[in-house]
Amino acid sequence: MNLQYDVSLKPYNTLSLDVKAAYFVCINDLYDLDAVRKFCLDQKCPWLLIGGGSNLVLTQDFEGLVMFMSMNQVFWPVEAASTEPMDHFTVIVQAGYDWDLLVAESLLRGASGLENLSLIPGQVGAAPVQNIGAYGVELKDTLESVEVFDFDTGKAFTLAAVDCEFGYRDSIFKRHQCWIITQIQLRLSLNHKPQVGYGIIADTIKVLSGEVAAKASPQQVRDAVIHIRSAKLPDPKDIPNVGSFFKNPIVSDSKMKTLARQWPGLVAYAIGSNEHKLAAAWLIDQLGWKGFVQGEVGVHEHQALVLVGSGVATGKEILDLAQRIKADVAENFGVMLEVEPRLFNGRGEFYLEL
Ligand code: EPU
């Protein structure tokens, strides 16, 4: 392994937070992971794995070892020898591969299933951790299995999708921080059925291509998603951010009804029979935060869920703003927002309390 010292993490996180790692290593294979594990045990130092760094807030210099996931091969299936028509294929992708490149390449190979998840920043290995989702599709819909390296025991194992405890922005990986995802296997469809239940997707397909949504090709769905995301969400290369900073809160039926009486226009989606998911962006927007700027941090002008930094902002400034928004929403709506990105101080992960 190629150990480096005092490395700035600014290029490795999409908020461009300029903190340093005491030790830094690029992970190219499982041997590197094994060697790093032994190093961390010997030195008794904490560790942190960074992929795309697109869901991460670093508040201090990291006292331990930071690994950057560089395993980035894709294993597409070789053309089937059989002449039988196939309705799907599986692809194996290492954790360091760029997510959106995978989406684009899968469509070029005639496979669908990932097009609604276009343009989500980050690496493949981060996708199962928060079960990335957008426009009615979640990673769990195509995932078959995940290869894991357990940093505690040094053992590698396979986890089937059914055992990943996937939920909204949630998975078993959030509860096992010593599990490192090294590879995933996806099942992609060769019989495209467009997922266009979100009105905005259908409308955008019509505007961009003139096509009826139900007949849209995977590429037309991807073009629509890219169009919508580009208009609303800032590209981290231009404006540092980590996408949605809060999860959409889930509340009871009675709480939703009380809020809807007080706040006409409340945006809520039923989940099952007794619960509703509220649009956190709408709550934050009602309180006037959209476009707010203070010092080096602010709230994006087109999406109230996205906190932005100036490029020289600190993680503490971002978190102070998040805390103010969270307190304001709690006071006005009686709803506790949960932070979506993972937060790290000098020694490891922590959680934001109000
Ligand atoms: N809205 C506002 N103000 C805003 C933005 C949105 O009132 O500033 C309202 C919209 O009018 C809409 C509602 O809030 O009625 C929901 O907005 P949107 O469709 O943009 O989706 P979201 O709930 O804000 C979620 C995901 C996004 C994902 C979109 C599309 C979470 C936390 N976020 O956002 O994911 O792209 O749905 O499926 O679930 C991400 O995780 O980084 C991310 C961008």
Side-chain angles (χ1 to χ4, degrees), residues 42 180 205 258 320:
D42 284 350
I180 290 177
I205 290 170
T258 311
D320 285 349

Side-chain angles (χ1 to χ4, degrees), residues 134-135 168-169 229 232 243-244 246 248 282 285 290 303-304:
Y135 306 109
Y168 165 62
R169 303 280 149 139
R229 288 187 73 103
K232 284 203 304 201
S244 304
F246 299 101
N248 286 330
W282 189 89
D285 204 351
K290 190 151 76 180
Q303 226 306 357

Side-chain angles (χ1 to χ4, degrees), residues 3 38 66 112 127 129 160 194 225 344-345:
L3 192 62
K38 289 189 178 111
V66 170
S112 64
V129 179
V225 171
F344 287 84
N345 59 26

Side-chain angles (χ1 to χ4, degrees), residues 231-248:
K232 284 203 304 201
L233 296 167
D235 183 339
K237 287 189 209 88
D238 306 324
I239 303 177
N241 75 89
V242 284
S244 304
F245 206 90
F246 299 101
K247 293 185 193 181
N248 286 330

Side-chain angles (χ1 to χ4, degrees), residues 128-159:
V129 179
Q130 58 159 334
N131 181 26
I132 55 170
Y135 306 109
V137 172
E138 292 182 326
L139 177 77
K140 72 173 172 58
D141 303 334
T142 47
L143 188 85
E144 282 196 325
S145 63
V146 179
E147 296 299 317
V148 179
F149 177 87
D150 186 332
F151 211 78
D152 266 1
T153 63
K155 298 253 163 44
F157 61 94
T158 305
L159 203 61

